[in-house]
Amino acid sequence: MDHINKEARSYAVLGQKYAYATISLVMGIVCFVNFAGLEKAILAIVFGWLALKHTPPPDLTQRRRWAKAGITLGILLLLVVPTVIILNLERLRGFIEALQKLSDGR
């Protein structure tokens, strides 16, 4: 009976890891839809890491690429957005000043 419980628990953990890998890939893709979606990029990394974690067993075998793709896309966005902001800092200041003038009615 204990063997059956361990096997059932193993399938449940594996199913959870598949879900984490799927969520990681989806979040990695969706974070590029809303370019400033840094929270989705962080979630993609976290869920990908949870899917690839070795404990509790069993290890993820079928959707490892999905989890790795989600992690890669999340990291890529976390690198790209700050770089774009830093490179365009002067333009952003001008844009903010223009918005302030519009809101003041001038």
Side-chain angles (χ1 to χ4, degrees):
M1 187 73 155
D2 190 39
H3 174 68
I4 295 173
N5 286 340
K6 281 186 179 180
E7 190 173 324
R9 194 172 343 167
S10 175
Y11 284 127
V13 169
L14 192 59
Q16 187 178 28
K17 288 185 177 188
Y18 286 153
Y20 287 157
T22 304
I23 291 169
S24 175
L25 179 63
V26 169
M27 286 291 168
I29 292 170
V30 169
C31 71
F32 280 95
V33 172
N34 178 3
F35 194 61
L38 295 177
E39 72 282 351
K40 290 181 277 304
I42 293 169
L43 285 174
I45 294 168
V46 169
F47 281 120
W49 176 78
L50 287 172
L52 295 175
K53 207 167 67 162
H54 293 290
T55 54
D59 287 346
L60 183 68
T61 55
Q62 290 182 340
R63 295 186 184 162
R64 287 184 75 77
R65 289 184 181 159
W66 289 16
K68 288 179 181 179
I71 291 171
T72 303
L73 290 171
I75 290 173
L76 183 66
L77 188 84
L78 287 177
L79 293 174
V80 167
V81 169
T83 303
V84 168
I85 289 172
I86 290 170
L87 292 176
N88 293 304
L89 205 51
E90 192 58 41
R91 290 181 185 167
L92 287 173
R93 285 187 187 128
F95 181 69
I96 291 171
E97 288 173 4
L99 286 176
Q100 288 174 342
K101 287 180 183 178
L102 283 174
S103 67
D104 292 340
R106 291 187 236 163

